[in-house]
Amino acid sequence: MIERYTLPEMAALWTRHAVFETWLSVELAVLEVQERMGLAPAGVTADVRARAAFDIARIDEIEAEVRHDVIAFLTNVAEHVGENSRFVHMGMTSSDLIDTALALQIQKSGQMIREKLSTLIDTVRRKAVEHRDTVMVGRSHGIHGEPITFGLKLLNWLDELERQQKRLDDALEENRVGQISGAMGSYSNIDPAVEEQVCALLGLKAARTSTQVISRDIHAQFFMALGSLATTIEKFAVEIRALQKTDILEVEEGFAKGQKGSSAMPHKRNPVSSENLTGLARLLRSYITPALENVALWHERDISHSSVERVVFPDAFILAHYMLNRFNNVMNDLIVHKDNMRSNMNRFGGIIFSQRV
């Protein structure tokens, strides 16, 4: 039975409310470290933390005037905090806040994707063991080759998924980086020790260097990892579609009670999930190009990347999470027609053993 996907599971991490909450957590971490270092008055963090709040409608109202999202956010927070708000954002630049908060969102979202991937790996491993002796014909160029087992096919899938897991882990670690280095990344108005301690407090690493923004090649690596993962899922989905053809019918997607395949041909049971995943892989891969193009910014920084990232980050994470969930359902419910596998293998009187002859 297909498990319904609950979109808010991932999408909730990318709402405007979640973004502003993350921004606030970064600002509070910076203030806490600065107080600890004697750069802000004792007790100021507790006071700000107790009063700090934001209202999205009010932020929008302020932004309509100032035309700057971070200023609008900080102005609204200051309205709640009062006099001690002058210590908030002290020595920072907007990208310190935005990029460090983005790193936190990437880590949270990436871990959710990793959990889904681990579940899929477990499912494929279980199916591979279950079908270790399920004999079928191997195909080369779509033509009968020699016998294999369905378990061997799935073992190859398992191996590929584990490689994708490593790529995802590497990309997550590469993106576990924040910055609190001020305008131009020169630390002219903030102590580098603040950056080190804030990043440690948030579970990040301080960027080795920054030019007011974190270099976007780091983000591009993550999109390439997600695109590669989507391509692997597509590869498996295409194989299921091919093996579900009526005249082959060696595997078949689960078909729920009451499910219909066609408004005109009621006998049809279509591999709709695998087809859906094939299409979504195309979409997710397409985000690699704008992520790479975000790397080339003018001089120390510009904001040509910003409009792109507001779209591609939530979309890519939600798509990847959804694809893993849906393909895991496909694998859990997969119907394996062992008799058809054996029958297809023996269709041509044993010619598949020609090499031995």
Side-chain angles (χ1 to χ4, degrees):
M1 185 68 181
I2 292 175
E3 174 194 342
R4 287 295 170 195
Y5 181 71
T6 307
L7 185 62
E9 193 174 3
M10 173 65 79
L13 294 179
W14 294 94
T15 62
R16 292 185 70 207
H17 189 272
V19 170
F20 290 141
E21 276 191 332
T22 310
W23 284 12
L24 187 57
S25 70
V26 172
E27 292 287 0
L28 289 170
V30 174
L31 184 56
E32 179 180 332
V33 168
Q34 288 182 324
E35 179 184 340
R36 190 189 302 161
M37 294 175 63
L39 302 172
V44 71
T45 304
D47 179 67
V48 171
R49 194 182 299 276
R51 298 171 183 268
F54 57 83
D55 178 82
I56 293 177
R58 177 60 180 147
I59 292 172
D60 289 343
E61 184 182 335
I62 298 168
E63 188 175 356
E65 178 185 351
V66 302
R67 307 294 179 89
H68 194 291
D69 55 353
V70 173
I71 292 174
F73 167 76
L74 292 171
T75 301
N76 180 230
V77 171
E79 290 173 341
H80 291 274
V81 170
E83 185 179 354
N84 278 335
S85 65
R86 69 186 188 275
F87 299 108
V88 176
H89 202 70
M90 191 168 60
M92 296 170 63
T93 190
S94 296
S95 293
D96 288 339
L97 173 60
I98 293 170
D99 284 4
T100 303
L102 179 58
L104 294 175
Q105 288 181 280
I106 291 171
Q107 292 304 307
K108 287 181 182 177
S109 301
Q111 287 302 326
M112 288 180 68
I113 288 174
R114 197 188 188 286
E115 288 169 11
K116 288 290 184 185
L117 178 54
S118 294
T119 298
L120 177 58
I121 285 172
D122 290 342
T123 300
V124 173
R125 180 183 291 110
R126 173 170 48 81
K127 290 284 186 178
V129 172
E130 179 184 341
H131 292 285
R132 64 195 304 170
D133 297 320
T134 302
V135 179
M136 66 183 297
V137 70
R139 294 172 172 91
S140 173
H141 302 273
I143 308 301
H144 282 201
E146 293 193 353
I148 60 170
T149 67
F150 188 53
L152 176 60
K153 186 186 290 287
L154 295 181
L155 196 63
N156 277 284
W157 292 12
L158 175 64
D159 189 31
E160 187 164 342
L161 285 171
E162 288 180 340
R163 290 196 299 274
Q164 294 293 6
Q165 188 176 53
K166 183 179 185 305
R167 293 181 187 118
L168 180 63
D169 287 345
D170 290 346
L172 263 176
E173 180 60 25
E174 183 82 4
N175 277 266
R176 194 172 61 83
V177 59
Q179 65 163 46
I180 309 291
S181 53
M184 301 299 110
S186 66
Y187 302 102
S188 56
N189 292 289
I190 198 162
D191 191 323
V194 172
E195 179 182 67
E196 288 285 345
Q197 293 184 40
V198 167
C199 287
L201 188 61
L202 295 172
L204 303 174
K205 302 172 295 184
R208 292 178 64 191
T209 62
S210 61
T211 63
Q212 191 163 331
V213 295
I214 289 175
S215 295
R216 262 46 196 175
D217 66 291
I218 294 173
H219 297 157
Q221 182 192 7
F222 203 94
F223 281 92
M224 287 188 281
L226 291 182
S228 182
L229 174 58
T231 300
T232 285
I233 294 174
E234 179 188 20
K235 171 184 172 180
F236 303 161
V238 167
E239 180 70 6
I240 289 171
R241 291 166 58 195
L243 294 178
Q244 190 168 331
K245 291 177 181 178
T246 304
D247 43 351
I248 296 176
L249 200 58
E250 293 182 353
V251 303
E252 188 176 10
E253 286 187 7
F255 206 76
K257 184 178 181 181
Q259 185 176 344
K260 307 296 182 184
S262 169
S263 63
M265 297 163 284
H267 64 279
K268 294 188 73 201
R269 293 164 64 118
N270 305 321
V272 290
S273 289
S274 295
E275 290 171 339
N276 174 270
L277 290 163
T278 300
L280 292 180
R282 298 168 188 166
L283 183 58
L284 185 47
R285 272 196 304 273
S286 74
Y287 291 141
I288 295 174
T289 298
L292 286 169
E293 290 176 346
N294 274 354
V295 176
L297 305 179
W298 282 16
H299 305 301
E300 276 55 62
R301 57 83 64 123
D302 62 49
I303 62 163
S304 59
H305 61 286
S306 176
S307 55
V308 176
E309 290 173 357
R310 291 167 195 252
V311 175
V312 298
F313 268 108
D315 274 18
F317 278 106
I318 291 168
L319 276 174
H321 196 247
Y322 174 81
M323 289 179 70
L324 287 165
N325 187 82
R326 186 155 190 179
F327 188 66
N328 188 62
N329 288 335
V330 169
M331 291 304 299
N332 267 324
D333 297 337
L334 193 68
I335 300 167
V336 179
H337 295 289
K338 297 182 182 181
D339 291 344
N340 286 353
M341 286 181 172
R342 188 169 291 275
S343 175
N344 287 338
M345 184 179 66
N346 293 326
R347 271 180 73 182
F348 301 107
I351 197 171
I352 57 173
F353 303 110
S354 62
Q355 180 177 186
R356 179 60 60 91
V357 172

